[in-house]
């Protein structure tokens, strides 16, 4: 079986396949077709993208591959040979007389824009002929400001003494490797509220599955709120280094704390 690279720009390949990568104008075969039903697809960032591809049942032996073309860059996106491709899965898992070679791409981001080609190779042909689908142009909607920022959904919150509050924070997984910390107040006198990696914070609990690959939820929950907890809380992303350097801070969530007084004045 022809070796295929993982989900990254293709390394050097055999000359015939390299020719395929460089130009999608290969041999056409009248006996079978590769059909991509959608000429264009538009999705929002974070959604799941489905790309349709059907190959005629009477097609000759040979693998089917998916490529993405964006300007001068061409990249192998998926191969149906059992290799692992992060975020990409096969829609139809049937292997007997398979004609559906559609794929799904999860957690779409602006880096996924481009034209996607479903390509059938015919290994029995002496020149490694291939037939390509017409291509599907993928566009991704969503504000760049929203996609590439540390987001804190609430600008302000109000809580009573003794209550529990939730402070939300979303950090893009495209950011550099490094920890996320919660602080109260600004430098130079800011107070560390929570560290997802280490430390003891008895009243603070994390909500998201921060150890799960691809996690973007760094929200926390603070219990037993007191008047001393009033202030502005910042979710801050750091870039790993020696020492770690602050990469980007969220806009902050200001917490107001109120006391509930029970009047002793008789009615």
């Amino acid at each position: 079986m022809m070796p295929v690279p993982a989900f990254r720009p293709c390394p050097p390949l055999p000359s015939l396949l390299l020719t395929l990568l460089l130009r999608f104008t290969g041999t056409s075969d009248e006996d079978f077709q590769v059909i991509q039903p959608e000429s264009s697809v538009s999705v929002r960032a974070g959604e799941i993208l489905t790309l349709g591809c059907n190959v005629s049942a009477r097609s000759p032996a040979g693998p089917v591959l998916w490529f993405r073309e964006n300007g001068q860059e061409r990249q192998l996106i998926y191969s149906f040979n059992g290799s692992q491709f992060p975020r990409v899965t096969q829609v139809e898992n049937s292997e007997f007389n398979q004609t559906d070679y559609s794929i799904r791409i999860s957690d779409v981001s602006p880096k996924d824009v481009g034209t996607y080609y479903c390509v059938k190779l015919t290994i029995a042909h002496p020149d490694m002929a291939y037939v390509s689908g017409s291509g599907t142009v993928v566009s991704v909607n969503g504000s760049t400001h929203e996609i590439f920022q540390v987001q804190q959904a609430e600008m302000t919150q109000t809580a009573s003494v003794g209550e529990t509050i939730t402070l939300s924070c979303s950090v893009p997984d495209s950011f550099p490797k490094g920890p996320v910390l919660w602080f109260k107040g600004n430098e130079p006198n800011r107070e560390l509220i929570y560290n997802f990696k280490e430390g003891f914070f008895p009243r603070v609990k994390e909500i998201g599955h921060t150890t799960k690959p691809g996690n973007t939820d760094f929200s926390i929950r603070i219990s037993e709120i007191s008047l001393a907890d009033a202030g502005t809380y910042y979710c801050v992303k750091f870039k790993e280094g020696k020492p770690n350097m602050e990469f980007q801070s969220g806009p902050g969530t200001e917490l107001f704390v109120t006391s509930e007084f029970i009047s002793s004045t008789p009615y």
Side-chain angles (χ1 to χ4, degrees):
M1 183 171 293
M2 182 180 63
V4 293
F7 192 87
R8 59 180 181 269
C10 298
L13 295 172
S15 58
L16 291 174
L17 183 53
L18 182 59
T19 301
L20 167 63
L21 287 171
L22 294 176
R23 181 173 297 175
F24 289 107
T25 57
T27 305
S28 176
D29 192 322
E30 296 180 357
D31 292 338
F32 73 99
Q33 290 182 309
V34 176
I35 300 173
Q36 293 181 240
E38 302 92 1
S39 61
S40 64
V41 175
S42 179
V43 294
R44 288 192 60 82
E47 291 184 342
I48 296 175
L49 166 67
T50 299
L51 295 171
C53 174
N54 289 279
V55 177
S56 303
R58 296 178 62 85
S59 62
V64 174
L65 309 174
W66 274 92
F67 295 93
R68 179 178 70 91
E69 178 180 334
N70 187 14
Q72 297 301 312
E73 179 186 0
R74 291 170 180 85
Q75 182 180 12
L76 176 66
I77 296 299
Y78 192 76
S79 171
F80 294 83
N81 68 349
S83 299
Q84 295 298 312
F85 293 80
R87 300 191 301 117
V88 187
T89 57
Q90 182 178 349
V91 173
E92 176 59 56
N93 291 320
S94 174
E95 296 183 0
F96 181 71
N97 288 334
Q98 182 172 347
T99 60
D100 187 352
Y101 290 90
S102 304
I103 58 173
R104 289 192 185 96
I105 304 176
S106 62
D107 195 20
V108 172
S109 72
K111 66 183 179 182
D112 294 314
V113 299
T115 304
Y116 288 73
Y117 293 92
C118 181
V119 180
K120 170 69 175 180
L121 302 182
T122 58
I123 58 177
H125 193 285
D127 295 322
M128 181 69 89
Y130 65 89
V131 173
S132 170
S134 56
T136 300
V137 178
V138 173
S139 59
V140 179
N141 299 319
S143 168
T144 300
H145 175 79
E146 294 176 353
I147 296 169
F148 297 109
Q149 296 286 330
V150 175
Q151 298 182 59
Q152 293 179 240
E154 305 88 4
M155 295 181 61
T156 63
Q157 282 202 51
T158 301
S160 299
V161 170
E163 290 185 341
T164 297
I165 64 165
T166 297
L167 297 173
S168 65
C169 174
S170 177
V171 178
D173 63 359
S174 58
F175 275 7
K177 185 178 180 180
V180 174
L181 306 177
W182 275 92
F183 294 96
K184 178 186 174 187
N186 288 309
E187 290 189 295
N189 299 316
R190 64 186 181 183
E191 174 189 358
L192 178 63
I193 296 299
Y194 193 71
N195 183 333
F196 290 88
K197 297 293 186 181
E198 58 187 13
F200 179 62
F201 307 89
R203 294 192 298 126
V204 186
K205 304 292 183 185
E206 63 187 71
I207 296 176
H209 301 287
T210 57
T211 59
K212 183 178 180 180
N215 174 70
T216 60
D217 186 359
F218 291 89
S219 305
I220 59 173
R221 186 173 289 119
I222 306 176
S223 60
E224 306 264 340
I225 291 295
S226 69
L227 292 174
D229 292 319
T232 303
Y233 292 77
Y234 296 91
C235 179
V236 183
K237 171 68 177 180
F238 285 78
K239 182 178 180 179
E240 191 175 79
K242 295 182 180 180
N244 293 332
M245 301 294 292
E246 182 172 328
F247 182 76
Q248 189 181 109
S249 172
T253 299
E254 187 172 7
L255 174 64
F256 298 94
V257 182
T258 62
S259 296
E260 292 185 356
F261 293 96
I262 299 177
S263 175
S264 59
T265 304
Y267 291 98

